[in-house]
Amino acid sequence: MKYVIIGGVAGGASTAARLRRMDEKAEIVIFEKGKYISYANCGLPYYIGDVIKDRNKLFVQTASSFSKRFNIDVRVSTEVTRINVPFKTVTARNCQTGEVYEEDFDKLVLAPGAEPVRPPLPGIELEGIFTLRNVTDTDYIKEYITEHKTQRAVVIGAGFIGLEMAENLHHLGVDIHIVEMGPQILAPLDAPVAALVQQHIRTKGVNLHLNSVVTGFGKSEAGALNVLLKDGESIGCDLVILSIGVRPDTRLAAPAGLQLGITGGILVDEYLHTSEPDIYAVGDAIEFTNPITGKPAITYLAGPANKQGRICANNMVLGDIQKYEGSINTAIVKVFDMTVGAAGVPAKHLEKDGIKHIVSTTHSGSHAGYYPGAQQMSIQITFSPDTGQLLGAQVAGYEGVDKRLDVMSSVIKNKGTLFDLCNFEHAYAPPFSSAKDPVNIAGFVAENILQGRLKVIQGKDLRNVEEECFLLDVRTRAEYESGCIPNAVNIPVDELRDRLKEIPVEKKVILYCQIGLRGYLAQRILVQHDFTNVLNLSGGYYLWKICDDEIHCEHTAVC
Amino acid sequence: MKYVIIGGVAGGASTAARLRRMDEKAEIVIFEKGKYISYANCGLPYYIGDVIKDRNKLFVQTASSFSKRFNIDVRVSTEVTRINVPFKTVTARNCQTGEVYEEDFDKLVLAPGAEPVRPPLPGIELEGIFTLRNVTDTDYIKEYITEHKTQRAVVIGAGFIGLEMAENLHHLGVDIHIVEMGPQILAPLDAPVAALVQQHIRTKGVNLHLNSVVTGFGKSEAGALNVLLKDGESIGCDLVILSIGVRPDTRLAAPAGLQLGITGGILVDEYLHTSEPDIYAVGDAIEFTNPITGKPAITYLAGPANKQGRICANNMVLGDIQKYEGSINTAIVKVFDMTVGAAGVPAKHLEKDGIKHIVSTTHSGSHAGYYPGAQQMSIQITFSPDTGQLLGAQVAGYEGVDKRLDVMSSVIKNKGTLFDLCNFEHAYAPPFSSAKDPVNIAGFVAENILQGRLKVIQGKDLRNVEEECFLLDVRTRAEYESGCIPNAVNIPVDELRDRLKEIPVEKKVILYCQIGLRGYLAQRILVQHDFTNVLNLSGGYYLWKICDDEIHCEHTAVC
């Protein structure tokens, strides 16, 4: 059996290694158009930022070591230019010698990855404007920064890579502007969770421009770059990183007649076949069905690519024995001192797809408050009001964010419910958590909502109802006096039982505390004393204030 | 409705707070024989070690704040001396005034906790010998250490609390001996995982005595304590911490005629009733069914106690609506720089209970190796050879141990399988993990074992078979030369395909590498080249060496 694999990074390299373990006697050829295989894609921003100091560390395997260990014919700097489906061959071109030849296959695997979007804006070809996708890009950027002693950079696009690049350039002492077309950073997050991180980025002296559209690039007489914005502003800089997004590389698949999906990715079935039975595809280029929404989706993540490679090899050798269940898009990013991530589907996408859901936000300490170093984290979950199924989770904070997100991801993946969050038995000792883990707290609150014991209102819905309702702040007097939601009346929760008469029983009562717990206690007191319409602000004053600050920030240009 | 709760710490306080939220109008009385309620039990060793500097931090709530917020009648320093079941009353005694009175109840909750074992050894009443269970014990120990300028301490019992006390005393500059009756520390772990931690403890200059039985205590003329051991040795010290274990406090339940289980705990049904329908019990004192083994069990952990309190309150107010599903004993401990923990059932208990299982040990980096600070962790899992159900997990290492254990715990709790470990979608970016998480790796290896692609042998079984087999070390020459298993022959994996003739095809081949991966590759090569009986050493040379060192350590007294 002869296997040919196009693409030698995450998905392609995983497929090849697994193939060899499954079939010692197969012939396996990898074509990689770049100079390197199996390198650390996700490490590239950190190498540019000098966090990773040794360039050699980026290479998990070299073509030679990979070839030696797995007895695989690795052909780097060799671009496949055509798939000849009826003949079961590919046409390859050695980029160094120019030699063009055909290679036949029994089974072919496409792992071409995705390519960065580079919009046709005026001036985009100017020197100093880069995208980052592979080691060669990385070398160019690093060399450019050193040679030009870069002091000012503009990162366009506030996605995962954009933020990692901003952090790493900042680490090098470069002054940073981030320009994002959308109203928030990190599109897979809901706005309130993004707001938490936006505030943090601003504290680092990074200039964050949201709702800002780049219209082109210019060069000053002194040789500096200018990023031109739609509102007429322009930002001078020495370096531009374009991280607007990526799209599946279908430059081989499309002309070969392989079916593409509606997202533009290579359509695969659950066994990772393309529309041609002997051609499989894995990684960033494929379109599969999102297991939660049931809609077509692409995911640009290393974890799923690696897992697909393993499944693809199993299926090629053993004959379609293993289904790929689709990715729930679990992703995480370190943003300066913070960590933020998501799994499953955010509220805004559920809304768009017409999927019924409830949103709940909780804030908890990363570990026991009495043990040194505990820091607050925020968890926003979405769940089904009918079954309690956990549909999505977003976590932002400092210590232990990745842990809670991983647990949530495991539950979402298994189509588990908020009751699984309640029953979750975490490993508890004071350095690691509290007796009730943040995951449990998120579950308990959601359970209270689902079972009607707690009614919540989201901050974004608060603005419309303030007029007709009684807005009650149940924090202490000192907390209230240091800042509150406009028009709120203060009755601390510990005085509430004695001061019920101060609250108009005929009105809708919206109450809040700092994070949500005392608000819940207050709500329980009120509803058991004939107040019929009581809502607790989800995420409390803490989240409301951050979102409110962000709104004002946007209205006053960069802050 | 009038609820009386005996015990005001984890389980009792949780029950009370939840009760109030569920029923604003109920009468709720808590009796606590100690001076404090709702304090941070798990923080006590860290307060002694000055890691927690402010004593006030130990108190989550005071009797007064709790009473105010929840409108609960909190009676501290009041011991319940009898439950009068037929009359639905308890007899209470105010420890300060001596007043004795009866209090009636509609529903009673027992949350008495567990009491430390204090064996009747000669000299055990000598000054300077302490157990640690509550704030009062803590105050005594801290005062004693300060007054006596303690320089040498013996901790008896190497369980969770014993190790935390050893670490904290060490942190104060005290010279430490740990004396443990059993052959390993931390009884809930299997021996190889415990060995990893034992080695670490020894590197800290702590004297670890395993298989050492204490026969009594003496006092020297100079006033120093002597801990006498069965082997005739004695250890001089200023302070002894007894952390031999705890047992359920049934001093009220037993005379009241409540049924006890075979483990000695208060027997409860799945709704947390005792044998009397209006009396419930929660926390360390109860016996429930272990959800994995189906055997009666007690668990001495704060997390389950808190969750039981919540369930108990729900059931009392709403009428037995929620089942307690039992605890899988997820526990963790920081031991100096290391972290180690377990969830589910260790191999030794599965063996004892006659439950079929396979053991697999893997070692992985805590995050991507190319990103600074990655550290190796070891994961040992047990799973069913029939269904792949994950039965237990143990993790030892430095960074990110708690995260992997939490994910495993979530899978075990949901009766998930090793396939869930394979499919687990972790939140990956270089600071947090690798493209394949340690949890994935544990799953992949287990899947290979379950599906017959990988056959493993455990280190403990290696000693018996060495004679009849061909022992093959597939590491590099340099690794081999720096230490190997006696009688092993070295053929590096990358040379294996060319040197197959050096391996006797008729013999059983046992092979190993450093951690297990190259051994697996080598095994795949051999079995596809007519070698029919090939075993790979689970956990590799790394684990074998640590266990071997520990064996020699034990044979040469303290090291």
Side-chain angles (χ1 to χ4, degrees):
Chain A
M1 186 67 74
K2 181 172 176 183
Y3 301 98
V4 169
I5 298 168
I6 303 174
V9 194
S14 292
T15 307
R18 178 74 176 172
L19 266 179
R20 175 55 72 225
R21 294 194 295 269
M22 301 293 289
D23 185 354
E24 175 66 17
K25 286 158 189 172
E27 187 179 350
I28 306 173
V29 182
I30 298 182
F31 289 104
E32 167 55 47
K33 69 180 168 197
K35 275 190 272 186
Y36 310 100
I37 64 154
S38 196
Y39 58 84
N41 231 322
C42 305
L44 303 180
Y46 297 96
Y47 171 63
I48 292 172
D50 259 357
V51 173
I52 298 170
K53 296 194 187 299
D54 179 2
R55 185 171 176 280
N56 286 323
K57 288 217 165 188
L58 297 176
F59 303 100
V60 182
Q61 292 273 5
T62 64
S64 139
S65 71
F66 196 79
S67 167
K68 198 165 175 186
R69 174 147 304 168
F70 295 105
N71 186 25
I72 286 172
D73 183 351
V74 181
R75 305 188 194 167
V76 289
S77 301
T78 305
E79 184 172 10
V80 172
T81 55
R82 198 169 59 227
I83 305 168
N84 313 299
V85 176
F87 308 103
K88 295 186 84 167
T89 65
V90 298
T91 305
R93 185 181 156 275
N94 183 319
C95 306
Q96 282 165 332
T97 64
E99 183 200 357
V100 174
Y101 58 94
E102 302 221 335
E103 190 77 36
D104 64 329
F105 61 82
D106 294 314
K107 307 257 183 208
L108 177 69
V109 180
L110 299 181
E115 46 172 354
V117 174
R118 214 180 153 95
L121 293 171
I124 196 154
E125 295 308 332
L126 286 172
E127 199 200 15
I129 303 178
F130 296 93
T131 54
L132 171 64
R133 185 70 190 165
N134 54 37
V135 177
T136 308
D137 297 340
T138 305
D139 289 337
Y140 282 141
I141 295 171
K142 205 162 166 83
E143 200 183 308
Y144 187 90
I145 290 171
T146 312
E147 266 188 20
H148 292 73
K149 299 185 176 58
T150 297
Q151 295 186 315
R152 298 172 305 162
V154 175
V155 174
I156 303 175
F160 290 91
I161 306 293
L163 294 186
E164 285 179 347
M165 278 307 301
E167 177 184 334
N168 275 287
L169 291 169
H170 185 270
H171 185 246
L172 291 177
V174 175
D175 186 48
I176 306 285
H177 286 259
I178 301 175
V179 179
E180 166 60 47
M181 195 168 63
Q184 66 167 73
I185 63 166
L186 295 169
L189 300 180
D190 283 311
V193 182
L196 291 160
V197 186
Q198 287 160 205
Q199 292 262 313
H200 180 66
I201 291 174
R202 296 182 205 280
T203 66
K204 293 292 172 180
V206 170
N207 303 283
L208 184 57
H209 308 249
L210 300 176
N211 297 304
S212 286
V213 177
V214 174
T215 53
F217 305 90
K219 206 143 206 174
S220 74
E221 283 178 21
L225 279 165
N226 269 317
V227 179
L228 312 171
L229 304 182
K230 201 175 177 182
D231 63 6
E233 205 195 338
S234 83
I235 311 170
C237 63
D238 314 317
L239 172 77
V240 172
I241 302 290
L242 277 175
S243 53
I244 299 168
V246 294
R247 62 182 154 224
D249 186 341
T250 56
R251 285 173 293 183
L252 279 173
L258 301 183
Q259 202 179 330
L260 303 186
I262 61 166
T263 63
I266 303 170
L267 195 69
V268 294
D269 68 10
E270 54 200 341
Y271 299 104
L272 299 171
H273 292 123
T274 65
S275 53
E276 284 295 327
D278 286 328
I279 306 181
Y280 292 73
V282 298
D284 292 2
I286 68 169
E287 174 182 306
F288 56 86
T289 303
N290 180 295
I292 299 167
T293 63
K295 311 270 178 185
I298 305 184
T299 189
Y300 303 109
L301 293 164
N306 274 280
K307 283 166 194 135
Q308 290 157 18
R310 189 179 160 90
I311 292 172
C312 177
N314 288 349
N315 286 342
M316 286 195 294
V317 175
L318 302 173
D320 295 345
I321 51 147
Q322 195 177 359
K323 289 185 183 181
Y324 178 63
E325 293 168 355
S327 164
I328 57 165
N329 294 315
T330 307
I332 195 164
V333 62
K334 172 175 160 342
V335 186
F336 297 95
D337 309 330
M338 278 192 90
T339 300
V340 63
V345 191
K348 60 185 174 187
H349 293 170
L350 292 169
E351 214 156 296
K352 208 182 66 189
D353 287 344
I355 296 172
K356 274 201 291 181
H357 63 281
I358 296 173
V359 180
S360 169
T361 306
T362 45
H363 313 289
S364 310
S366 55
H367 62 248
Y370 55 79
Y371 187 88
Q375 288 170 297
Q376 185 172 283
M377 74 175 68
S378 303
I379 299 182
Q380 188 195 291
I381 60 171
T382 51
F383 58 94
S384 159
D386 301 323
T387 60
Q389 186 187 339
L390 188 63
L391 303 170
Q394 294 163 49
V395 190
Y398 299 81
E399 179 195 69
V401 165
D402 55 330
K403 175 163 78 170
R404 276 60 181 216
L405 189 59
D406 270 5
V407 172
M408 300 274 195
S409 175
S410 160
V411 173
I412 294 169
K413 185 85 185 177
N414 289 308
K415 299 199 173 11
T417 66
L418 55 88
F419 304 107
D420 293 323
L421 306 186
C422 297
N423 293 331
F424 166 54
E425 259 186 86
H426 64 300
Y428 165 53
F432 307 104
S433 185
S434 299
K436 292 170 184 166
D437 191 74
V439 169
N440 295 138
I441 300 285
F444 292 154
V445 171
E447 188 194 53
N448 285 333
I449 295 172
L450 194 75
Q451 296 178 342
R453 273 189 298 275
L454 169 62
K455 284 187 182 156
V456 289
I457 181 168
Q458 304 301 322
K460 71 182 168 64
D461 301 324
L462 193 58
R463 279 163 242 286
N464 312 321
V465 293
E466 271 172 38
E467 300 287 302
E468 331 133 24
C469 71
F470 185 79
L471 188 60
L472 177 62
D473 183 327
V474 300
R475 297 176 302 161
T476 63
R477 224 156 314 235
E479 286 174 290
Y480 175 76
E481 280 163 9
S482 73
C484 68
I485 300 180
N487 304 318
V489 172
N490 179 228
I491 304 178
V493 63
D494 288 347
E495 299 173 15
L496 191 59
R497 289 185 181 91
D498 300 327
R499 296 176 58 184
L500 291 173
K501 287 192 181 142
E502 298 173 36
I503 307 166
V505 76
E506 73 287 355
K507 270 202 173 178
K508 177 192 275 191
V509 179
I510 295 180
L511 48 75
Y512 68 89
C513 63
Q514 187 64 14
I515 61 167
L517 176 59
R518 285 173 292 172
Y520 166 53
L521 302 181
Q523 187 183 35
R524 294 305 302 157
I525 294 171
L526 291 185
V527 297
Q528 293 183 73
H529 282 100
D530 305 327
F531 292 84
T532 50
N533 201 349
V534 187
L535 295 170
N536 184 24
L537 179 62
S538 192
Y541 180 73
Y542 172 74
L543 191 63
W544 181 89
K545 180 75 169 79
I546 280 171
C547 293
D548 195 60
D549 286 351
E550 276 297 306
I551 288 166
H552 291 115
C553 235
E554 281 173 44
H555 292 166
T556 55
V558 183
C559 50
Chain B
M1 184 67 75
K2 180 172 175 183
Y3 300 99
V4 169
I5 299 167
I6 302 174
V9 193
S14 292
T15 307
R18 179 73 177 173
L19 266 180
R20 174 55 74 223
R21 294 195 294 270
M22 301 293 288
D23 185 354
E24 175 66 17
K25 285 157 190 173
E27 187 179 350
I28 307 173
V29 182
I30 299 182
F31 289 104
E32 168 55 46
K33 70 180 170 200
K35 276 190 271 186
Y36 309 100
I37 64 155
S38 197
Y39 59 82
N41 231 323
C42 305
L44 303 180
Y46 297 96
Y47 171 63
I48 292 172
D50 258 357
V51 173
I52 298 170
K53 295 194 187 298
D54 179 2
R55 185 173 177 279
N56 286 322
K57 288 217 165 188
L58 297 176
F59 302 100
V60 181
Q61 292 273 5
T62 64
S64 140
S65 72
F66 196 78
S67 168
K68 198 166 175 186
R69 173 147 303 169
F70 295 104
N71 186 26
I72 285 172
D73 184 351
V74 182
R75 305 188 194 167
V76 290
S77 299
T78 306
E79 184 173 9
V80 172
T81 56
R82 200 169 58 227
I83 304 168
N84 314 299
V85 176
F87 309 102
K88 295 184 86 167
T89 64
V90 298
T91 306
R93 184 179 156 278
N94 184 319
C95 306
Q96 283 165 333
T97 64
E99 183 201 359
V100 173
Y101 58 94
E102 301 222 334
E103 189 77 35
D104 64 329
F105 62 81
D106 293 315
K107 307 257 185 209
L108 177 69
V109 180
L110 298 181
E115 46 173 354
V117 174
R118 216 181 150 93
L121 293 172
I124 196 155
E125 297 307 333
L126 285 172
E127 200 200 16
I129 303 178
F130 296 93
T131 55
L132 172 65
R133 186 69 188 166
N134 54 36
V135 177
T136 308
D137 297 341
T138 305
D139 288 338
Y140 281 141
I141 295 172
K142 205 165 166 80
E143 201 183 307
Y144 186 91
I145 290 171
T146 312
E147 267 187 19
H148 293 74
K149 299 186 177 58
T150 298
Q151 294 186 316
R152 299 173 303 162
V154 175
V155 174
I156 303 176
F160 289 93
I161 307 293
L163 293 187
E164 284 179 346
M165 278 306 302
E167 178 184 334
N168 276 287
L169 291 169
H170 186 270
H171 185 247
L172 292 176
V174 176
D175 187 48
I176 306 287
H177 287 259
I178 301 175
V179 179
E180 166 60 47
M181 194 167 66
Q184 66 167 72
I185 63 166
L186 294 169
L189 300 180
D190 283 312
V193 182
L196 291 161
V197 186
Q198 286 159 203
Q199 292 262 314
H200 180 65
I201 291 173
R202 297 183 204 278
T203 66
K204 294 292 171 180
V206 170
N207 302 284
L208 184 57
H209 308 249
L210 299 176
N211 297 307
S212 286
V213 177
V214 174
T215 53
F217 305 91
K219 206 142 205 171
S220 74
E221 284 178 19
L225 279 165
N226 269 318
V227 179
L228 311 172
L229 304 182
K230 199 174 177 183
D231 62 6
E233 203 195 340
S234 82
I235 311 170
C237 62
D238 315 315
L239 173 77
V240 172
I241 302 290
L242 278 175
S243 54
I244 298 169
V246 293
R247 62 182 152 222
D249 185 342
T250 56
R251 286 172 292 182
L252 280 173
L258 301 182
Q259 203 179 329
L260 302 186
I262 62 166
T263 63
I266 303 170
L267 195 69
V268 294
D269 68 10
E270 55 199 342
Y271 299 104
L272 299 172
H273 292 123
T274 65
S275 52
E276 284 295 326
D278 286 328
I279 305 181
Y280 292 74
V282 298
D284 291 3
I286 68 169
E287 173 182 307
F288 57 86
T289 303
N290 181 295
I292 299 167
T293 63
K295 311 270 178 187
I298 306 186
T299 187
Y300 303 109
L301 294 163
N306 274 279
K307 284 169 192 129
Q308 289 157 18
R310 189 178 160 88
I311 293 172
C312 177
N314 288 349
N315 286 341
M316 288 195 292
V317 175
L318 302 173
D320 294 348
I321 52 149
Q322 195 175 359
K323 289 185 183 180
Y324 179 62
E325 292 168 355
S327 164
I328 58 166
N329 294 317
T330 307
I332 195 164
V333 62
K334 173 177 160 341
V335 186
F336 296 96
D337 309 329
M338 279 191 89
T339 299
V340 63
V345 191
K348 60 184 173 187
H349 293 171
L350 291 169
E351 213 156 296
K352 207 183 67 188
D353 287 344
I355 297 172
K356 274 201 292 181
H357 64 280
I358 296 173
V359 180
S360 169
T361 306
T362 45
H363 313 287
S364 309
S366 55
H367 62 247
Y370 54 81
Y371 187 88
Q375 286 170 298
Q376 186 172 282
M377 73 174 68
S378 303
I379 298 182
Q380 187 196 291
I381 59 171
T382 51
F383 58 95
S384 158
D386 301 323
T387 61
Q389 186 187 341
L390 189 64
L391 302 171
Q394 294 163 49
V395 190
Y398 299 82
E399 179 195 69
V401 165
D402 55 330
K403 175 162 79 170
R404 277 59 180 215
L405 188 59
D406 269 6
V407 172
M408 300 273 196
S409 175
S410 161
V411 173
I412 294 169
K413 183 85 185 177
N414 290 307
K415 300 199 173 7
T417 66
L418 56 88
F419 304 107
D420 293 323
L421 306 186
C422 297
N423 293 332
F424 166 54
E425 258 185 88
H426 63 300
Y428 164 54
F432 307 104
S433 185
S434 299
K436 293 171 185 164
D437 192 74
V439 168
N440 296 138
I441 300 285
F444 292 153
V445 171
E447 188 193 54
N448 285 333
I449 296 171
L450 193 74
Q451 296 178 342
R453 273 189 299 275
L454 169 62
K455 285 189 182 153
V456 290
I457 181 168
Q458 305 300 321
K460 70 183 168 64
D461 301 324
L462 193 59
R463 277 162 244 287
N464 313 322
V465 293
E466 272 172 37
E467 300 287 303
E468 332 134 23
C469 72
F470 185 80
L471 189 59
L472 177 60
D473 182 327
V474 300
R475 298 176 302 161
T476 63
R477 223 155 316 234
E479 286 174 289
Y480 175 77
E481 280 164 9
S482 73
C484 68
I485 300 180
N487 304 319
V489 173
N490 179 229
I491 305 178
V493 64
D494 289 348
E495 298 173 14
L496 191 59
R497 288 186 182 90
D498 300 328
R499 296 175 59 184
L500 291 173
K501 287 192 181 141
E502 297 174 35
I503 307 166
V505 78
E506 74 287 355
K507 270 203 174 180
K508 176 192 275 193
V509 179
I510 295 180
L511 49 75
Y512 68 89
C513 62
Q514 187 65 13
I515 62 166
L517 176 59
R518 285 173 292 173
Y520 166 53
L521 302 180
Q523 185 182 38
R524 294 305 302 158
I525 294 170
L526 291 185
V527 296
Q528 294 183 71
H529 281 101
D530 306 325
F531 292 83
T532 49
N533 202 348
V534 186
L535 295 170
N536 185 24
L537 178 63
S538 192
Y541 179 74
Y542 171 73
L543 191 64
W544 180 90
K545 180 76 169 76
I546 279 171
C547 293
D548 195 60
D549 286 350
E550 276 297 307
I551 289 165
H552 291 114
C553 236
E554 282 173 45
H555 291 169
T556 55
V558 183
C559 51

